[in-house]
Amino acid sequence: MSIVTGSTPLASRAWGLSNQMTGRALEKIGAVGGPRCCKRDSYLAISAAVRFTEEALGVSMELDDITCTRSAQNRHCIGARCPFFGGVKCIK
């Protein structure tokens, strides 16, 4: 959001939008919980950014369905609790 709006710490609206976007992303990540998963958190942040950008700036972006293909590589995968879980058995 900061890059798109040219935000700096001294900007008014743009700085606020950047912080609102960060808040939305963290809200989505926090709602799913942990343990940590870089891919899941990235997917959640991107999804939040696409929605927020349309709301705040009127810019529409395509967002395809995301299915994780890496759960077998993460022994801490939360499986079906993950909104992107593809049904692959996780390493235990």
Side-chain angles (χ1 to χ4, degrees):
M1 185 60 64
S2 310
I3 294 169
V4 172
T5 61
S7 180
T8 71
L10 301 177
S12 179
R13 181 172 186 264
W15 188 82
L17 287 172
S18 297
N19 282 289
Q20 288 174 32
M21 175 52 248
T22 300
R24 292 264 186 105
L26 291 173
E27 214 173 75
K28 295 291 183 190
I29 292 166
V32 173
R36 81 337 180 219
C37 173
C38 299
K39 296 294 182 193
R40 180 188 68 230
D41 292 349
S42 296
Y43 295 154
L44 288 165
I46 290 166
S47 298
V50 167
R51 287 184 192 94
F52 184 79
T53 301
E54 184 164 9
E55 290 172 21
L57 302 176
V59 175
S60 228
M61 292 183 273
E62 208 173 294
L63 183 62
D64 293 333
D65 289 334
I66 301 168
T67 301
C68 178
T69 59
R70 298 168 189 85
S71 55
Q73 299 166 358
N74 181 357
R75 70 174 154 219
H76 302 290
C77 175
I78 60 173
R81 281 197 313 119
C82 175
F84 310 105
F85 182 64
V88 178
K89 186 175 169 84
C90 299
I91 296 171
K92 296 295 177 191

